[in-house]
């Protein structure tokens, strides 16, 4: 089975990682852990004269942070589920599109994403990655919701 696990830095994402790590998957299952580096999200929202970092430096720093997060998640999954073949992949672009494109390109059987739990207004303006993935995926999708009562084990 090919499982595409999309992660970011949210509690919902941590819950999705924990869920994938605790399940009994069929023999020879593969997990492709992806995170999406989005140039649009890395634009500084403050006065750029106060922050001399160039756009490229900000984007590069976010890339290093995303790569470390991917490595940590892959190692955590490998510890919890040693029978899984885990591969981290850093994608670039709009998260919705990058996840869907990778699922199709890799022939994923299942996409697992965490729910951000955004309010209706935020979802209206920013859109919901998990909703877009569920509506347009070429395979099954599971959206894992973080329960505030249950602590997640971050990578």
């Amino acid at each position: 089975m090919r499982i595409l696990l999309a992660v970011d830095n949210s509690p919902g994402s941590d819950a999705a990682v924990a869920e994938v790590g605790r399940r009994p998957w069929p023999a020879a299952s593969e997990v492709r852990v992806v995170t999406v580096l989005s140039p649009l999200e890395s634009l500084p929202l403050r006065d750029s004269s106060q922050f001399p970092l160039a756009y490229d430096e900000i984007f590069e720093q976010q890339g290093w942070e995303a790569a470390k997060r991917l490595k940590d998640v892959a190692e955590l999954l490998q510890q919890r589920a040693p029978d899984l073949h885990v591969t981290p992949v850093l994608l670039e672009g709009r998260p919705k599109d990058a996840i869907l494109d990778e699922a199709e390109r890799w022939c994923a059987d299942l996409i697992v994403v965490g729910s951000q739990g955004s309010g209706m207004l935020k979802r209206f303006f920013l859109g919901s990655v998990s909703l877009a993935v569920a509506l347009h995926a070429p395979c099954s999708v599971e959206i894992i919701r973080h329960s505030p009562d249950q602590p997640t084990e971050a990578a």
Side-chain angles (χ1 to χ4, degrees):
M1 177 171 225
R2 291 177 153 213
I3 304 125
L4 183 76
L5 172 60
V7 299
D8 59 14
N9 226 4
S10 70
S13 177
D14 293 342
V17 171
E19 186 63 30
V20 168
R22 88 174 112 241
R23 287 210 184 148
W25 297 102
S29 289
E30 300 176 61
V31 176
R32 179 164 288 191
V33 183
V34 300
T35 197
V36 183
L37 191 56
S38 178
L40 296 175
E41 293 175 0
S42 62
L43 288 172
L45 299 177
R46 301 182 199 146
D47 179 12
S48 60
S49 64
Q50 295 177 1
F51 301 93
L53 288 177
Y55 174 81
D56 291 341
E57 292 172 336
I58 294 168
F59 192 65
E60 183 179 348
Q61 178 63 32
Q62 287 186 340
W64 285 110
E65 291 168 4
K68 178 168 182 354
R69 184 170 49 247
L70 275 174
K71 179 182 173 284
D72 292 346
V73 168
E75 288 175 356
L76 179 67
L77 279 175
Q78 204 65 74
Q79 289 172 353
R80 292 192 180 161
D83 293 338
L84 287 175
H85 177 72
V86 181
T87 306
V89 177
L90 181 60
L91 304 173
E92 192 174 316
R94 291 183 52 199
K96 301 169 192 178
D97 299 331
I99 292 167
L100 291 168
D101 290 347
E102 185 66 14
E104 191 169 331
R105 184 174 29 257
W106 189 56
C107 300
D109 298 307
L110 174 67
I111 301 172
V112 179
V113 294
S115 171
Q116 290 285 17
S118 301
M120 187 182 294
L121 188 62
K122 186 175 179 184
R123 239 189 338 265
F124 175 76
F125 285 111
L126 300 177
S128 168
V129 172
S130 56
L131 178 60
V133 169
L135 291 174
H136 303 289
C139 60
S140 296
V141 176
E142 184 169 356
I143 301 171
I144 307 295
R145 184 176 300 280
H146 166 67
S147 170
D149 301 336
Q150 183 178 24
T152 58
E153 301 166 37

